[in-house]
Amino acid sequence: MTPNPKNPAGTSLILGTAGHIDHGKTSLVRALTGIDTDRLAEEKRRGITIELGFARYAPAPGVSFGIVDVPGHEGFVRTMVAGATGMDIVLLVVAADESVMPQTREHLAIVKLLGVAAIVVAITKVDLVEAEWLELVTEEVQDLLAGTPYEDSGIVPVSVRSGAGLSALAEALSGAAGLARERALDDLARLPVDRVFAMEGAGTVVTGTLWSGRMERGSTVRILPQGEEARIRAVQVHGAQVDGAVAGQRTALALTGAAVRRRMVSRGDVLVTDRSWSPSLMLTVELHVLADSGWCLQAGQRVRVHLGTVEVMSRVALFGAEQIRPGGGALAQFRLEAPVVARCGDLFVLRSYSPVTTIAGGTVLEPVPPKRKRISELERTALEELSRGGIRAVRGAVALAGWQGLHQRDLGVCAGWTGGATDVLDGEFRRVAGLLFDTRIVVEGEGRILATVRGHHRRHWLEAGAPLSDLRSALPSRAHPALANGLVARLAGRDRLVIEETVARLPGFRAALSPDEEELARRLAGILGKADLEGLTTDELRDRLSGHPRTGAVVAFLAARGEVRLLADTFWVTTAALNRAAGRVVEVLGGQAGLGPADFRKVLPVTRKHLIPILRYLDGAGVTTRLETGRRVSSTVP
């Protein structure tokens, strides 16, 4: 990597070549840039491009292209697709002496499937044909482009031998630069690797088109799908050493780290800087089969998925359909044979297993989906929203997340969201416990919680409210663990619930005894008052009240009012009796330490069965304190 302190001037776009073998792509790049992109000895010997080649080209002030020269041979379409990844503009090359050929059509189909913004057609070798023949070739190219997004693209006849048309081609490419899509520099950083090599003094170097975001010298990257980390020791853009590269630039990174030393990076890997990315063995996608492919895509068919710079074998799972006919489209899932790294909105190319040809393409909707055999109408609507991008994609992702909700930080991957602004999201969704939820989920969840509290009041009218722990079970088991508490807090903040210690009640609700229960409470208080510190269990109280069915509820009500206490989770004692006991202990033993149970039994004439729970109560009240040598008694009643 040659040192150079300055960044290249101007905005850099990726210009890719496409076209049939021997139509002059590499020669044309050499004529435009002075660079021979065929660098391998085998390429020189065979006279064909095998691997991706790279060059820089600045046809006009303020316009800078990183050229990716791809192979034209049908045996290297996999390499061509890897190179087409991230292209802003394509230079489609058609030789005048052969006109449109099979790889011309397939490359154009791939370019269209990958959503390239614009193309310019160069008709090469015009010095080998007559003007009348050139006119026929031009008409055939126009027919090829008709009905595609590129039917108004410039078509420029050129000759690399004479230089004819090269200036017109430069002008057409400069004009096409204005059609390239904008890339957000503050987006998540991602670089699909298309080349890895070792260089003396630099170590392991990886190259690729920086799809989004920025990568800087000294920062740490994750190598996916392996999950290993490496540090960027140097950055180059078109041979110039820089502090950092930005989206849309051909980038070379010198990496260091244990993973690099173990040779754990290769073409098809993806470098990222954020923890939001996850490899997946499944993708939910929107598929479109090429109308002129002649193929029906069958459920369960084994195909080649080209995504970024990787090719992965996969089975196609169709939702409720047996096949997709030529020209048709459908939602589907890929069951991949190796993990890939994707985000919502990524475009891919689908090629048949055998014979190998391009048959379809589409858009990734769910980069890390659950396995689905069929989809509901709600899921179908949400997936269709994902396909539309922007805030609509966020709607789809949040709807699919359902009761689990979504972290805003995950929207960049699962919805392709680059908007960032929280006010937009807060206007569309409900933020609960730090997560985004569909309004439908929040409304239903709040309704379930209120219904649970209302039902508790109806069944247990003597209790102060529903235990907060019970409200979690009001939501489905698949709900995020934090959602219940978040909804309870949300309801309390809007005065729809009242939280008192560990229970929740509806506003205006107060536990109250009926006249019969008032009488029962008086009898209970009398029985417990006579029992003093000996206390009684709920069953013992019920026996003394001839099995009255409301005994447990009424004694619990008295406990909620603070008139009685349950000691050792077993027997009830009046609060008055406990207060008298505290007073006697302080009066007789106040200020003393090292006291054992026998010392307290002199003051509290109860059995050991009751003494130990009473002492624990006094510990909790601050009357006594446990020490290694016994208990110490406070000098005053707290």
Side-chain angles (χ1 to χ4, degrees), residues 202-487:
T204 297
V205 178
V206 302
T207 69
T209 298
L210 189 54
W211 271 18
S212 56
R214 58 190 307 122
M215 290 188 174
E216 298 176 343
R217 183 176 59 193
S219 61
T220 298
V221 294
R222 294 172 65 216
I223 304 167
L224 297 179
Q226 300 92 320
E228 300 284 342
E229 291 190 346
R231 187 176 63 84
I232 302 174
R233 61 186 296 183
V235 182
Q236 276 196 5
V237 174
H238 300 303
Q241 190 150 320
V242 294
D243 291 331
V246 298
Q249 292 182 327
R250 281 296 306 173
T251 305
L253 305 175
L255 301 179
T256 183
V260 176
R261 291 192 294 273
R262 295 197 303 270
R263 299 182 180 180
M264 295 185 69
V265 58
S266 58
R267 174 188 281 181
D269 290 345
V270 180
L271 303 187
V272 299
T273 59
D274 190 89
R275 290 281 169 184
S276 300
W277 302 93
S278 297
S280 176
L281 284 165
M282 286 189 290
L283 298 172
T284 305
V285 301
E286 185 178 43
L287 268 177
H288 295 283
V289 177
L290 294 175
D292 57 355
S293 69
W295 282 75
C296 285
L297 191 59
Q298 306 292 331
Q301 184 175 334
R302 194 165 185 242
V303 294
R304 303 170 188 270
V305 178
H306 294 263
L307 177 68
T309 56
V310 71
E311 176 192 70
V312 178
M313 301 304 300
S314 178
R315 297 283 180 182
V316 180
L318 301 179
F319 300 132
E322 293 300 320
Q323 66 178 10
I324 309 175
R325 300 183 64 80
L331 298 173
Q333 268 195 342
F334 291 147
R335 309 284 161 76
L336 303 158
E337 296 179 14
V340 300
V341 180
R343 77 188 296 186
C344 176
D346 281 352
L347 301 175
F348 60 85
V349 172
L350 211 60
R351 307 189 79 223
S352 54
Y353 175 61
S354 180
V356 182
T357 184
T358 302
I359 59 174
T363 307
V364 173
L365 302 181
E366 288 183 293
V368 188
K371 188 175 183 179
R372 293 192 174 95
K373 294 182 179 179
R374 59 189 63 84
I375 54 176
S376 65
E377 279 307 308
L378 186 149
E379 289 170 326
R380 181 177 296 278
T381 300
L383 290 170
E384 289 171 354
E385 289 283 80
L386 279 172
S387 71
R388 290 172 170 83
I391 195 66
R392 298 187 69 173
V394 178
R395 282 188 208 134
V398 172
L400 287 171
W403 291 95
Q404 277 291 309
L406 274 180
H407 281 286
Q408 184 175 330
R409 64 172 180 265
D410 294 331
L411 294 179
V413 172
C414 68
W417 175 252
T418 59
T422 58
D423 55 343
V424 175
L425 298 176
D426 290 340
E428 282 271 345
F429 311 103
R430 298 294 175 263
R431 197 180 294 268
V432 182
L435 301 168
L436 295 174
F437 289 91
D438 189 283
T439 301
R440 174 185 57 84
I441 293 291
V442 173
V443 170
E444 182 179 344
E446 289 182 342
R448 285 174 174 240
I449 288 172
L450 291 173
T452 298
V453 175
R454 193 177 298 112
H456 191 91
H457 290 339
R458 188 170 55 251
R459 294 186 303 273
H460 308 285
W461 61 88
L462 294 184
E463 294 182 11
L468 292 175
S469 57
D470 287 0
L471 301 187
R472 297 186 186 96
S473 62
L475 304 184
S477 59
R478 63 186 182 276
H480 192 281
L483 179 57
N485 289 345
L487 292 179

Side-chain angles (χ1 to χ4, degrees), residues 589 594-606 608 611-612 615 631:
L589 302 174
L595 301 174
D599 297 305
F600 288 99
R601 286 188 65 184
K602 295 175 183 177
V603 181
L604 305 173
V606 293
R608 185 177 181 87
L611 178 65
I612 298 305
L615 288 177
R631 279 182 168 84

Side-chain angles (χ1 to χ4, degrees), residues 29 60 115 159 178-179 182 193 215 231 267 299 350 365 367 370 372 396 440 449 455 465 554 569 574 587 602 632:
V29 171
S159 169
L179 301 175
E182 275 190 64
V193 176
M215 290 188 174
R231 187 176 63 84
R267 174 188 281 181
L350 211 60
L365 302 181
R372 293 192 174 95
R440 174 185 57 84
I449 288 172
V554 173
D569 294 328
T574 65
E587 181 183 353
K602 295 175 183 177
R632 182 177 63 229

Side-chain angles (χ1 to χ4, degrees), residues 485-509:
N485 289 345
L487 292 179
V488 168
R490 176 182 165 87
L491 288 166
R494 287 156 41 224
D495 297 326
R496 298 185 68 191
L497 269 186
V498 178
I499 310 301
E500 293 174 340
E501 297 183 354
T502 60
V503 300
R505 64 175 175 83
L506 297 176
F509 173 81

